[in-house]
Amino acid sequence: LKYYFNNQHLTLKLREGANINDLLNTLNNILKETGVNVRINDMEHLILINKIHISALNGLKTSLKNGDEVTIIPLIHGG
């Protein structure tokens, strides 16, 4: 993802009460506006909040708060 955003870190302002799903929608809209045909989702990406996988929290409904660090890592498949 750092390739698409040309940066290893990205700071976003989201509405109060935003969750992981809101964050992914925001990131996907940014990518779409820049012409990048990639979709960030929890099926093809490992998503961590403060180093904890979202499945151990509340999944896509996990609320975000100011200062949370979200890590998104694409899963790589091969054969």
Side-chain angles (χ1 to χ4, degrees):
L1 296 177
K2 66 182 176 181
Y3 171 80
Y4 297 114
F5 291 106
N6 201 24
N7 200 334
Q8 188 167 355
H9 299 279
L10 184 66
T11 301
L12 297 173
K13 288 187 178 188
L14 301 171
R15 66 171 176 78
E16 181 140 349
N19 60 31
I20 288 294
N21 196 50
D22 297 321
L23 171 64
L24 296 182
N25 286 334
T26 298
L27 291 173
N28 286 322
N29 286 336
I30 292 169
L31 289 170
K32 185 177 178 181
E33 289 172 6
T34 58
V36 176
N37 190 25
V38 169
R39 182 137 179 90
I40 303 169
N41 60 59
D42 65 326
M43 298 301 290
E44 298 174 3
H45 297 82
L46 180 68
I47 303 171
L48 310 170
I49 301 176
N50 303 318
K51 300 181 182 176
I52 301 171
H53 191 272
I54 61 170
S55 66
L57 301 167
N58 199 19
L60 293 174
K61 295 179 183 177
T62 302
S63 296
L64 296 168
K65 58 185 180 304
N66 191 30
D68 278 345
E69 183 175 305
V70 179
T71 304
I72 301 172
I73 303 169
L75 299 174
I76 299 180
H77 301 278

